[in-house]
Amino acid sequence: MKSDIEIAQETTLKPIHDIVTDLGLSEEDWEPYGRTKAKLSTGLLEKLEEQPDGKVVLVTSINPTPAGEGKSTVTVGLGQALNKLEKKAIIALREPSLGPVMGLKGGAAGGGYAQVLPMEDINLHFTGDLHAITTANNALSALIDNHIHRGNNLQIDPRRVEWNRVLDMNDRALRQVVVGLGGPTKGVPREDAFSITVASEIMAVLCLAKDLQDLKRRLKKIVIGYTYEEKPVTVEDLDAEGALTVLLKDALKPNLVQTTENTPAIIHGGPFANIAHGCNSIIATKTAAKLGDYVVTEAGFGADLGAEKFLNIKSRAGGIQPSAVVIVATIRALKMHGGVGKSELTTENVEAIASGVENLKKHIETIESFGLPYVVAINKFPTDTQKEIDFLKEWCSTNKVEVALTDVWKNGGAGGIDLAEKVIKKAEGPATNLEYTYDLQDPLEEKIRSVAQTIYGADDIVLSTKARSQLVFFEKLGWGKLPVCMAKTQYALSNDPSQVGRPTGFTIDIRELRASVGAEFIVVLTGDVMTMPGLPQHPAALNMDVTEDDKIVGLF
Amino acid sequence: MKSDIEIAQETTLKPIHDIVTDLGLSEEDWEPYGRTKAKLSTGLLEKLEEQPDGKVVLVTSINPTPAGEGKSTVTVGLGQALNKLEKKAIIALREPSLGPVMGLKGGAAGGGYAQVLPMEDINLHFTGDLHAITTANNALSALIDNHIHRGNNLQIDPRRVEWNRVLDMNDRALRQVVVGLGGPTKGVPREDAFSITVASEIMAVLCLAKDLQDLKRRLKKIVIGYTYEEKPVTVEDLDAEGALTVLLKDALKPNLVQTTENTPAIIHGGPFANIAHGCNSIIATKTAAKLGDYVVTEAGFGADLGAEKFLNIKSRAGGIQPSAVVIVATIRALKMHGGVGKSELTTENVEAIASGVENLKKHIETIESFGLPYVVAINKFPTDTQKEIDFLKEWCSTNKVEVALTDVWKNGGAGGIDLAEKVIKKAEGPATNLEYTYDLQDPLEEKIRSVAQTIYGADDIVLSTKARSQLVFFEKLGWGKLPVCMAKTQYALSNDPSQVGRPTGFTIDIRELRASVGAEFIVVLTGDVMTMPGLPQHPAALNMDVTEDDKIVGLF
């Protein structure tokens, strides 16, 4: 079996100029970055305003397991399959973060014959968007510490600076640091932390901005900490929104590449799926909708996190209504949700599937709660037995759930034809209306409870003392009408990652809130959330090399 | 008078495709980055091996003063002037660092009608080279701390880690930090420091590498610190050179842009001019020499630092021999070297020039010591009086020094014709042989003394106890045959920045050494050297903005 990078390196890519021309764009609408990448212009979306919108297909999944579900691969394969069916489809994905690429083997650009390319570039520096976000984030940090050092007119309390520095790196040693040591010429000492770049509020802001002016408006509102009197201090107070917007001007432009079958793909933005909303940018999704009949896009983690936030946060902010949802599952992952360990996945086990399928059932109910049509996609693995597949098909039929087998890793678009046909039928069926889980006018506590009960199936929420006082404080500061962005383990519906399948009779502990006022949501932490990953015993970086004939090896 | 950015925005740039085609390059030799920037391919230099070399003209200056000398502007203007004289000239410059752009107003891309463009891009993210260096540097840091955290097989002494993290930012609060706080899940606590990216040894390595394999060879040798038994630990010991080379693969490709008069300019690499050698990359300079009749390139700071290191380090490593040197001076700066304060520069003062010209004289002697032909360029300012100019011309004539007035800020290439003609005469005169200041076989102490005496005019050097023991240690480790890279104040010939003009009867204090084994030089610190700048009271960042019609303003 060929590796992803071998398949990638054997693929003949079209010059990006051809991809762009096929989309009907002219010279002023784009800029090349190398021969196979492009950035679309800032004004393109506005220029396309009068064009009709293509249909948005949202790809989500059951709760992820160590078995792997292949959500990105299905997303890419579905786009390719739609093209085979003469629908002009465009894929819209998130940009991978470089940090994890150095840590654990495995990129984030699909796989097999359903990849976005050039995968080496996409997984490394790409067009520099994440580097621009790192720079903007850390420019703000430098301006904050410089302000404190030079008289602190705003009376920022160094103990209440909430703005972390960031690096696009897995770097455990930066999780908790002290900066400003060394005496009067080296600033004011204070505790600080580095997060990974995708956890920066600037990433969320960039992904939710409608245009450059909206980006600036949101940057302005970011709260970087509090004064000694506990008043919020904003980017506007520091007069820094202009510089940050200048630094992000190019990063706001969506990136265009292609798949292994030359289907256009817009890859842009990649916020964390726990402390942020986990979807690619509004500009990318909307531009793709203007340029194609279909946009296939994905949200992070399972439907309880990614899809919930896509629909309650991104759809609301961007006026994006999916015409159909695909829920990805695998036989292997359903077995794990039925309690089987990773080492036993190759043994046939229909009983485990019968139990694990309850996880899928909850996510189906979740999508139904939003009033959206959906198809379940079973992403085939070579180890799946006929009996297991038959059981799952039977279960879907009994429960009146539309299901399609896909085999896009091995067969590209051809492996997703059945799924594509079913998605088209749903998307072109009677129009539906997206029903949000909560109303923005509800109090924050009510919004959190609605998500916990409707989406997770919890009995109730349990607020910590800290969270309770923050709720009062945030409502008082006028942030009560913002949507909530839940940070919960992705591995289970409850906040205990070991509760696979469909737990019942549980409550959700609400530990702490964080205000992402620029992103326009309140982050709700339901447990310890690590915003800076570490490297494993043997980092993937150590496998990478450049051979004597200057070829990259060991990258996936 | 128009500002640099106004002139830049009014200039009509040629498509980079045309610039590249005029240089005789084909599709496989380059990649576009937007419409006006390109990266030249890694293999181009090798492909051009059989081509004859164009002549290299090195632009240097007197010791810099707050009055400004305009060395980059003269470099760009001279290139433009050579083109007007039907010589195919290419300019080779360093890449500006983004950090200072956020701090003090003023870019590093020439000025007026002698700029490299697009100046906004060049001064901000450009093609991402500095971001790639930041990432590679910090990936190494993460691998070091991860190694220590996970058992520390190599027995790295956390107190002796010499590898700093970096950011391309002016950020005082990161000059001295403690990392790894927070208990067993957050690494091993140790003191650390962040430098600005251009101070990373990786920047020096990239600029001195001949090709990708030489880059990898040098990265391997970098010493990141010492074991508990004081044995050096290298990148090779950590097995990290492959990953670092992968991260730097694109950054090693030289960037091609153009000037205000569409003269091609290669802008690539920008190491600090004190703790590193302060010149653009060997690959850039050599590629420019293969593609043009003339390369005009500059070295950092004055001839005592930049030119000395260009000639003793870069020329030696790359086999680059300048055919002529230009020494830039201004009437204003010579007055400051004659003891005049910045506020009195507009008053005519021939006496001050008569005294300050001694600084120029020393740098002339320095270039003579290398056996190279030279021309002095007087970069005109509107406040210069005829009497002052006449005096300086007379002084040059008496001392048999070739001199030319230039006016390239205001008139572009047309303002540098006289200089260009004189440079051509020198460069096309009898061939000369570059004489190095010291032999690589000399002991380190002897090399340091040679530079101090020959280049600075010092009586001798005075070694600190630490430096003395390091000399013994480094010679024992086999590093004694490396050239020395002097870190001295740029403002004076001695290591007292207030000693303008030409001080005599002084010694040079040698405080400490640092081994840049990958860059293949020993850094010699003659005083406190700050490798992380800070932001001023009113950072330039606060002037930057994006207007309502999406235009960048306030950037210079």
Side-chain angles (χ1 to χ4, degrees), chain A residues 387-404:
Chain A
K387 233 184 181 167
E388 290 173 329
I389 292 171
D390 288 343
F391 171 83
L392 194 56
K393 281 184 160 174
E394 183 66 30
W395 182 90
C396 287
S397 152
T398 310
N399 288 274
K400 302 199 177 11
V401 167
E402 192 83 82
V403 65

Side-chain angles (χ1 to χ4, degrees), chain A residues 17 79 105 192 217 242 289 315 319 326 339 348 350 424 441 453 510 538:
Chain A
H17 180 271
K105 215 173 155 72
D192 195 10
R217 179 189 68 81
S315 285
V326 173
E348 186 176 85
V350 173
I424 292 171
Q441 301 306 315
Q453 291 176 337
I510 307 299
H538 186 88

Side-chain angles (χ1 to χ4, degrees), chain A residues 27 30-35 98 102 124-125 131-132 135 138-139 142-143 145-146 149-150 165 167 169-182 185-187 194 212-213 216 238-239 242-243 245-247 249 535-537 539 541-542 544-548 550 552, chain B residues 27 30-35 98 102 124-125 131-132 135 138-139 142-143 145-146 149-150 165 167 169-182 185-187 194 212-213 216 238-239 242-243 245-247 249 535-537 539 541-542 544-548 550 552:
Chain A
E27 283 261 310
W30 68 286
E31 286 178 310
Y33 270 65
R35 302 276 173 203
L98 199 151
M102 296 285 120
L124 293 172
H125 307 292
H131 291 321
T135 304
N138 295 339
L143 289 168
D145 277 312
N146 192 56
H149 174 71
R150 292 186 176 277
R165 287 175 166 86
L167 281 185
M169 192 56 63
N170 284 17
D171 195 345
R172 179 187 301 104
L174 295 179
R175 282 177 185 160
Q176 196 173 320
V177 302
V178 174
V179 301
L181 297 171
T185 64
K186 296 180 181 173
F194 282 71
L212 197 62
Q213 298 302 324
K216 189 170 142 186
L238 286 160
D239 213 8
T245 310
V246 166
L247 287 168
K249 196 170 181 290
L535 290 171
Q537 182 74 43
L542 305 190
M544 295 177 194
D545 206 357
V546 170
T547 60
E548 276 175 37
D550 293 356
I552 291 184
Chain B
E27 283 262 309
W30 68 287
E31 285 179 310
Y33 271 64
R35 302 276 171 203
L98 199 151
M102 296 285 119
L124 294 172
H125 307 292
H131 291 322
T135 305
N138 295 339
L143 289 168
D145 277 311
N146 192 57
H149 174 71
R150 293 187 176 274
R165 287 176 167 86
L167 280 185
M169 193 55 63
N170 284 17
D171 195 344
R172 179 188 301 104
L174 295 179
R175 282 177 185 159
Q176 196 172 323
V177 302
V178 174
V179 301
L181 297 171
T185 64
K186 296 180 181 173
F194 281 72
L212 197 62
Q213 298 302 322
K216 188 170 142 184
L238 286 161
D239 213 7
T245 311
V246 167
L247 287 169
K249 196 171 180 287
L535 290 171
Q537 181 75 43
L542 305 191
M544 295 177 194
D545 205 357
V546 171
T547 60
E548 276 175 36
D550 294 358
I552 291 183

Side-chain angles (χ1 to χ4, degrees), chain A residues 273-349:
Chain A
N274 45 36
I275 66 149
H277 62 292
C279 314
N280 76 335
S281 77
I282 283 183
I283 294 182
T285 306
K286 292 185 84 147
T287 305
K290 290 294 183 191
L291 294 172
D293 305 327
Y294 276 84
V295 189
V296 188
T297 190
E298 61 160 354
F301 298 146
D304 53 332
L305 284 169
E308 183 270 305
K309 296 196 259 195
F310 186 101
L311 298 167
N312 283 315
I313 297 175
K314 179 177 170 178
S315 285
R316 209 168 335 215
I320 296 166
Q321 161 129 0
S323 299
V325 176
V326 173
I327 308 170
V328 179
T330 59
I331 295 285
R332 290 156 54 89
L334 290 176
K335 279 191 210 171
M336 291 197 85
H337 277 293
V340 168
K342 204 183 166 186
S343 57
E344 290 146 50
L345 289 177
T346 48
T347 315
E348 186 176 85
N349 192 337

Side-chain angles (χ1 to χ4, degrees), chain B residues 449-491:
Chain B
R449 184 169 287 111
S450 297
V451 173
Q453 292 177 337
T454 314
I455 310 294
Y456 308 159
D459 291 342
D460 202 355
I461 56 172
V462 178
L463 295 161
S464 72
T465 315
K466 179 166 188 182
R468 195 169 293 283
S469 75
Q470 285 181 307
L471 280 175
V472 176
F473 186 52
F474 285 9
E475 297 273 1
K476 206 181 84 187
L477 288 167
W479 302 336
K481 305 292 173 252
L482 295 175
V484 292
C485 180
M486 305 296 290
K488 181 182 69 67
T489 176
Q490 66 266 37
Y491 297 114

